[in-house]
Structures are given as structure tokens and as C-alpha cells.
Amino acid sequence: MTSVNNERVLIGIAASPGICHGPAVHFSQGQVEIPCYSITQEQVATETERLEVSIIATREEIIHIRKKVSATLGEGEALIFDAHLMVLEDNALITEVLQYLNEELKNIEYCFNQVVDRYINFFKNIEDEYLRERVSDIRDVERRVLNNLLGKKHVEKDISHAKKIIVSDDISPSLAVGFNKDSLLGFLTDSGGATSHFVIMSRSLNIPAVVGLHDVTKQVKHDDYILIDGYSGKVYINPRKETLSLYQERADKQHAIELRYQKELLEKCETRDGHTIELMVNIEGTDEIDAYKTSNSDGIGLFRTEGLFLRHNGVPSEEAQYNEYASVVDNASGKSVIIRTLDIGGDKLVDGINEESFLGLRAIRYCLENLSVFKTQLRAILRASAHGEVQIMYPMISGVEELDKANQVLNEVKSELTQSGISFNQSIKVGVMIELPSAVMVINLLASKVDFLSVGTNDLIQYLMAVDRMDDKVSHLYQPTHPAVLRSLKLIFDGGKESDKSVSICGEMAGEPIYTALLLGLGAKSLSVSISRLAEVKHFIRLMDLAKLEALVEECMGLDRAEPIEAKLQAFIEGIS
Ligand code: PEP
Ligand code: MG
């Protein structure tokens, strides 16, 4: 541990709570810049040799990662690297690159990139789904070869050993899933908002993160010693000894508090005045099953299936999906598992199959445009329903038209399975996420057609307030207590009540005690939170009186701005702490 006297402090958005300190490592996910320059005929041999050297280095790299992934995640996950080796060793590709080099007399990086791009365009337009999916493998291999050619020290996200604080401009969920969790201390990013998907992942892994720091990549040098206060958003560069010991004390106190919360996990989840609240958890995959088992929660209220797609960087086979879903269900201790169909798009990108836009072809929209992907997933989910209490949930539904279309596909898949004699739960429950303002406005129409509703407040606030949840420049406008959010939530609870359908909340709001209070006061009887938030939320629910919460929310509904509502809720929580 080092401490020098040139301590500096940066302040960003406190995204994932916790305190940590350690050396920084820069991680860039930017595109590789490819130089282009002419060469002479005599230089062709040197350029050819450079390509050979870089292919050998890339081969070793891939084999090394394959071994590592096989040992940590299993052989199934490691198979993807065999596909990468096949791309790398494709003779036709190499021959074409060398031919291009001889004809064009340009540097090898440029030639390699040009030929690979041609390949990618060819694969992208191909009918065969399997071959189309190979685009992501080709891209990955291309990136590695180019990095080796350009001598870039590529920070390997899954092979670093020492514990580090990752400093980056931004971190996409597809990169986040590849990090070796044991080597992570914390995250600092220039951009990002408190509900960015990688932030949600860090929270569930208990890894402190501060985002929206604007220029942390410039302020922090490689190997600078860093202290992160994920509660306040403060980041200390080269902290003084006194700062480190002050924070050590705080961390110890916090740890003691958390242990106290943990002790309540076995208690019933009911308010002080005796109202039972269903408390479920959000998970991203089988990684979290062990934590789920000790959580004593009421089931899995949101299984985000994108993780599997991001780890594969493509569409996993029906078998791979079935294995993952069935394994979660088998380990759910007989409780229900709500599997959300693919919510890809926005910031959750899988190479070559979707686009980066929160307003674009995301989630159910993507699935309805790519029926083979959707059907494969529905088959896998339905097959997993033979293992236990599975429910299906569609994300980003805007109204009944999309719901009907999704259900029609579901019915087709059900008939196909029945015809093939494959068993599944014929009367599987189907619900929708309410995360678009349009869905709120037609809540009664939707509620009458589904078995349950679940509110995705992360997106609901984003779309209601027109605030990109990834953009730190507008993060101050992302206000969970804005009167428009309160009114929308009220409409949703009322709609659910009228149709006698359960309404759960699975957005990050449910896991913050001040907002938990607001949600219960508005009528929530069911919450789904990330496992790391569960103990604290339960602790506070057990201190709350529903009657008081209803009165508090009544007062909040009379206020016209977010700030005083937030202050009231804060004071309430402090009052019961
Ligand atoms: C939400 O939008 O609140 C939600 C739970 O879904 P996600 O964060 O995965 O978009
Ligand atoms: Mg969402």
C-alpha cells in the first residue's frame, strides 16, 4: 500500500456503493485505429512476416484464454475460442490478405482490415443464421491480430491476475461480462449514469463504482494508487495515509452494519404493522445462484437473459440456453423464476446483431424482427418450464399490438413443441414489463391480457423524462421522485388493482430504501432487487409501517418538484434508522 502527499479528489456519480483502494489500470474499449501507408515491393516480405508473427501471437493468446475460461467458466463457454482459432487459421483468408498486399502495396494492417471487412460484409448478408453469427468471431479475431500488429498492449479483460481498479472512458455490458471478477476492485469511468447496465452488474457483484467523472482517464495515470468511496462518489488519487485510515474505519463500520442486515435474512419480509411484502431477486445468470440460495428470497423476479448472449457475443444455441435456464430453475428451491426474454440493444450490444440505440431496435422490437432468435429462446424457456415454476416476461412492450404479436409467436412455439412431444408447462404465466410511457397510458388494456406486470423503473424514468440512462451530462435530470414518475407509478398500481393482476417493481428503485418506502406507500406488494441490496431492503421494510408510508406518499403527491419529495423520503428513512 502506498501513500504520498499529492492527494487529489474527484467527484462523480456514486453508482455502486462500497469502499475500495488499489492500483489503477487503464482499459480502453475504443476502436483500433488502422494506419494506411504505401510500401515498396521489397517491403512485402517484411509485411508478410509481420502478419505471421502476429498470427502466432494471437494464436497463443486465444489458447491461453481458452484454458482460463475452460477452468473458470467451464468447457461449454470455452468452445467459442475454438471458433476463433478456426477463423485465425483460415487459409483462404490469409491467402486473400497476401494477395491484396501484393496488389495494393499497402501496410499489412490496412490489407488485413480491408479483406476482413469484406468477409464481414459477406457474412452479415447471408441467410444462414449460424454463418451470420460468425461475424462476431471474425471481429474478435481481427481486433486481436490488429492489436498485435500495432504493438498495442491489449488489457486482457479476463486474464489479469492482480486486483485493480479499472479506469475507462466507458464500459459496455459485453465487456463487463468478460472481466475476471476476482481481479476487480472497482470501476471509474468518464461517462455513464447510475443505471447503466454495467453499473447494475457492479452493484450485484458488490464492486464499488463511480461514473460520470468526465476526464478520469486523463486525471489518473496507470498504476496511480486510488481510493473509491462508492457511497458519496468521491475518488482519491494517491490518497494520504490519514485518508486511507479514515476510510478503513468507515469500511469497517459499514461492514458491521451489513452483517447486522444479513442476520435478518431468515426473518419474514413484512412491515412493522404486519403486511407481507414479496421480496425477490434480479439475476443475470447461473453465476449468482449460490448467492441466491442463501438469500432466502421469494424467488427470481427478473432473470436478465442478455448475459448469456453477451458472454457468447452472439446468439447461443437452443441447447446452451436451455441448459442455462434449466440450471437456474433447478436451483431455485422450488420458487418461481421470471425469465425475461432477450433485452438486447441500447447499451447491451452483441457484435453484428444489433444497434446502439435506446430508441431503436431493442428488446421485444428486436425479437419480433428476428423471429428465429426469439423462437429459439422461447423454445429454450418453455423446455426449462418442465423443471419448475417458470414465468415469461417480455421487455419494452409499448402496447397490446406488440404483446399480441409476442404471444402469437409463443403459441406457435408451444404448438411445435407439443407436436414434437417435448414437455413444458402448457399454462405458463406470461407478463410484461412496464417501462414505456405508452404502456403506462394503456395499462388497463395490457393488464387485462397478462398474468402479471413488472415495472422496469430504470427504463421507465429514462423514457418518461427523455434522459439517456447512460449519459452523465443529463444524469441530474434522471429523477426517480419527479411528480411525473410518482403519477405514472400510481396509474400502474391502480391499473393492476382494477384487473386484479400483481404488480412487481424490478428496477433499481426497489433496492434503495428511500424509494422502497415510496413504492410501498404507492401500493407495491412485490419487489425484485439485486441480491446485494436484498438484506438492507428487508431490514428497512421491517422497520416501516405501511399506514405511515401511505400518509407520507399522500403528502408527496401534493408536491410539485422532485427535490422536496426526495428530502421527505430521506427524512423518513433517517427517522426510522
Ligand atoms: C428496468 O428497466 O428497470 C429493468 C429492470 O430492466 P433493465 O435495467 O435490464 O433495462
Ligand atoms: Mg429495462
Side-chain angles (χ1 to χ4, degrees):
M1 191 163 74
T2 54
S3 167
V4 286
N5 284 328
N6 55 348
E7 171 179 295
R8 279 179 296 140
V9 185
L10 308 177
I11 298 185
I13 301 169
S16 178
I19 292 163
C20 68
H21 50 88
V25 60
H26 276 256
F27 178 81
S28 165
Q29 63 170 9
Q31 292 292 312
V32 186
E33 246 175 69
I34 298 139
C36 173
Y37 51 88
S38 298
I39 57 160
T40 61
Q41 187 64 50
E42 290 69 44
Q43 288 174 303
V44 167
T46 327
E47 292 298 281
T48 307
E49 199 184 320
R50 285 183 61 220
L51 179 64
E52 282 165 7
V53 169
S54 123
I55 287 178
I56 292 169
T58 306
R59 194 169 183 279
E60 280 170 9
E61 215 173 274
I62 297 175
I63 291 173
H64 180 66
I65 297 167
R66 195 200 181 289
K67 274 195 200 139
K68 175 98 185 157
V69 172
S70 172
T72 51
L73 298 174
E75 187 57 17
E77 296 282 332
L79 288 178
I80 185 80
F81 296 104
D82 291 341
H84 289 194
L85 283 173
M86 272 165 66
V87 172
L88 186 69
E89 286 159 3
D90 182 347
N91 271 334
L93 173 75
I94 307 294
T95 311
E96 218 178 297
V97 174
L98 294 180
Q99 196 180 333
Y100 193 90
L101 170 72
N102 274 290
E103 285 166 6
E104 300 294 322
L105 293 179
K106 291 276 192 304
N107 58 310
I108 193 68
E109 295 87 348
Y110 180 77
C111 299
F112 186 74
N113 175 248
Q114 289 296 305
V115 174
V116 170
D117 274 1
R118 260 196 241 159
Y119 264 62
I120 288 176
N121 282 333
F122 171 74
F123 276 97
K124 258 188 183 166
N125 296 319
I126 231 160
E127 276 290 305
D128 184 296
E129 191 193 328
Y130 175 79
L131 290 176
R132 218 173 41 231
E133 284 164 21
R134 301 284 65 82
V135 167
S136 56
D137 300 337
I138 302 174
R139 276 239 166 83
D140 206 86
V141 171
E142 179 192 27
R143 180 178 53 84
R144 287 183 192 284
V145 171
L146 287 173
N147 276 330
N148 280 320
L149 274 171
L150 295 165
K152 290 207 173 180
K153 183 80 197 81
H154 180 73
V155 179
E156 205 41 87
K157 53 189 192 291
D158 45 1
I159 57 169
S160 57
H161 300 289
K163 286 207 166 228
K164 299 272 184 182
I165 286 172
I166 305 281
V167 180
S168 183
D169 46 353
D170 193 10
I171 294 169
S172 68
S174 53
L175 283 167
V177 292
F179 282 117
N180 174 359
K181 321 279 181 294
D182 299 331
S183 69
L184 290 176
L185 280 173
F187 286 114
L188 300 177
T189 59
D190 287 340
S191 57
T195 59
S196 307
H197 280 104
F198 107 81
V199 165
I200 295 176
M201 288 179 187
S202 349
R203 262 188 229 143
S204 66
L205 293 168
N206 277 320
I207 296 171
V210 176
V211 302
L213 285 153
H214 305 300
D215 59 354
V216 67
T217 45
K218 290 204 185 82
Q219 300 273 357
V220 171
K221 290 195 299 299
H222 187 78
D223 263 346
D224 266 346
Y225 204 82
I226 303 292
L227 184 147
I228 301 183
D229 174 357
Y231 298 103
S232 68
K234 279 191 184 157
V235 176
Y236 294 81
I237 305 171
N238 299 320
R240 287 181 294 135
K241 253 195 196 138
E242 297 74 13
T243 312
L244 281 168
S245 51
L246 185 79
Y247 269 95
Q248 192 53 51
E249 254 173 57
R250 283 192 198 165
D252 291 345
K253 264 192 205 149
Q254 191 57 36
H255 185 60
I257 293 174
E258 271 152 28
L259 285 179
R260 240 181 52 221
Y261 295 159
Q262 297 283 338
K263 286 203 182 114
E264 285 177 66
L265 279 179
L266 290 177
E267 303 292 337
K268 276 199 215 150
C269 184
E270 61 178 31
T271 58
R272 230 163 62 108
D273 50 350
H275 297 271
T276 300
I277 304 297
E278 183 180 42
L279 188 55
M280 300 181 286
V281 294
N282 299 344
I283 66 161
E284 310 252 341
T286 43
D287 275 11
E288 289 172 275
I289 276 297
D290 287 343
Y292 162 76
K293 281 183 174 165
T294 55
S295 71
N296 190 33
S297 68
D298 295 317
I300 295 167
L302 168 63
F303 176 3
R304 288 184 168 97
T305 54
E306 305 77 67
L308 186 62
F309 288 67
L310 295 171
R311 286 195 296 276
H312 274 253
N313 200 14
V315 182
S317 65
E318 178 185 325
E319 219 44 38
Q321 292 189 54
Y322 164 70
N323 288 336
E324 169 104 350
Y325 307 153
S327 155
V328 168
V329 180
D330 288 339
N331 285 291
S333 323
K335 294 179 181 160
S336 69
V337 179
I338 300 180
I339 305 184
R340 177 174 77 181
T341 59
L342 186 61
D343 181 5
I344 206 79
D347 61 338
K348 291 179 279 195
L349 298 177
V350 171
D351 258 2
I353 74 165
N354 56 358
E355 56 189 57
E356 184 172 4
S357 165
F358 276 110
L359 297 173
L361 204 57
R362 186 190 157 188
I364 198 69
R365 300 173 177 183
Y366 173 83
C367 289
L368 292 174
E369 290 286 320
N370 293 275
L371 288 181
S372 68
V373 176
F374 193 31
K375 281 184 154 186
T376 304
Q377 182 173 44
L378 290 173
R379 278 177 70 92
I381 298 176
L382 285 169
R383 285 172 60 198
S385 74
H387 290 246
E389 175 50 24
V390 172
Q391 303 179 20
I392 293 180
M393 177 159 78
Y394 305 130
M396 214 186 164
I397 287 286
S398 64
V400 286
E401 199 177 336
E402 269 167 350
L403 172 61
D404 286 348
K405 277 190 191 156
N407 275 337
Q408 195 184 327
V409 181
L410 178 65
N411 287 334
E412 280 167 32
V413 176
K414 278 181 168 180
S415 310
E416 285 162 19
L417 288 180
T418 309
Q419 271 164 24
S420 314
I422 296 172
S423 56
F424 65 96
N425 176 7
Q426 290 278 359
S427 47
I428 191 164
K429 287 191 177 147
V430 177
V432 288
M433 288 194 72
I434 303 298
E435 38 189 3
L436 264 58
S438 61
V440 178
M441 298 317 291
V442 295
I443 194 71
N444 296 347
L445 305 179
L446 287 170
S448 64
K449 285 180 165 247
V450 292
D451 296 304
F452 63 93
L453 303 164
S454 184
V455 190
T457 50
N458 306 337
D459 278 315
L460 181 60
I461 300 169
Q462 151 166 274
Y463 294 126
L464 190 63
M465 309 294 299
V467 177
D468 187 331
R469 60 197 264 195
M470 298 286 296
D471 190 346
D472 56 293
K473 293 187 283 304
V474 287
S475 64
H476 59 290
L477 299 173
Y478 190 97
Q479 297 172 324
T481 51
H482 191 286
V485 176
L486 268 60
R487 280 161 176 69
S488 299
L489 289 168
K490 176 130 182 33
L491 284 175
I492 300 168
F493 287 120
D494 290 349
K497 212 175 188 176
E498 260 174 49
S499 301
D500 202 17
K501 299 290 159 63
S502 79
V503 181
S504 188
I505 312 286
C506 63
E508 293 298 290
M509 262 181 98
E512 288 291 328
I514 65 165
Y515 304 138
T516 312
L518 171 70
L519 295 166
L520 297 193
L522 277 163
K525 306 263 178 300
S526 169
L527 306 172
S528 190
V529 301
S530 99
I531 298 180
S532 62
R533 309 296 306 152
L534 187 94
E536 184 178 353
V537 169
K538 192 176 211 178
H539 165 81
F540 278 100
I541 289 176
R542 288 163 46 77
L543 292 175
M544 293 172 186
D545 277 304
L546 195 57
K548 283 192 189 149
L549 289 177
E550 282 165 359
L552 175 71
V553 167
E554 186 79 35
E555 281 177 41
C556 291
M557 289 301 264
L559 297 170
D560 61 0
R561 279 166 308 130
E563 220 183 301
I565 299 177
E566 186 100 8
K568 253 190 194 307
L569 295 170
Q570 189 66 48
F572 173 81
I573 289 296
E574 278 161 20
I576 60 170
S577 299

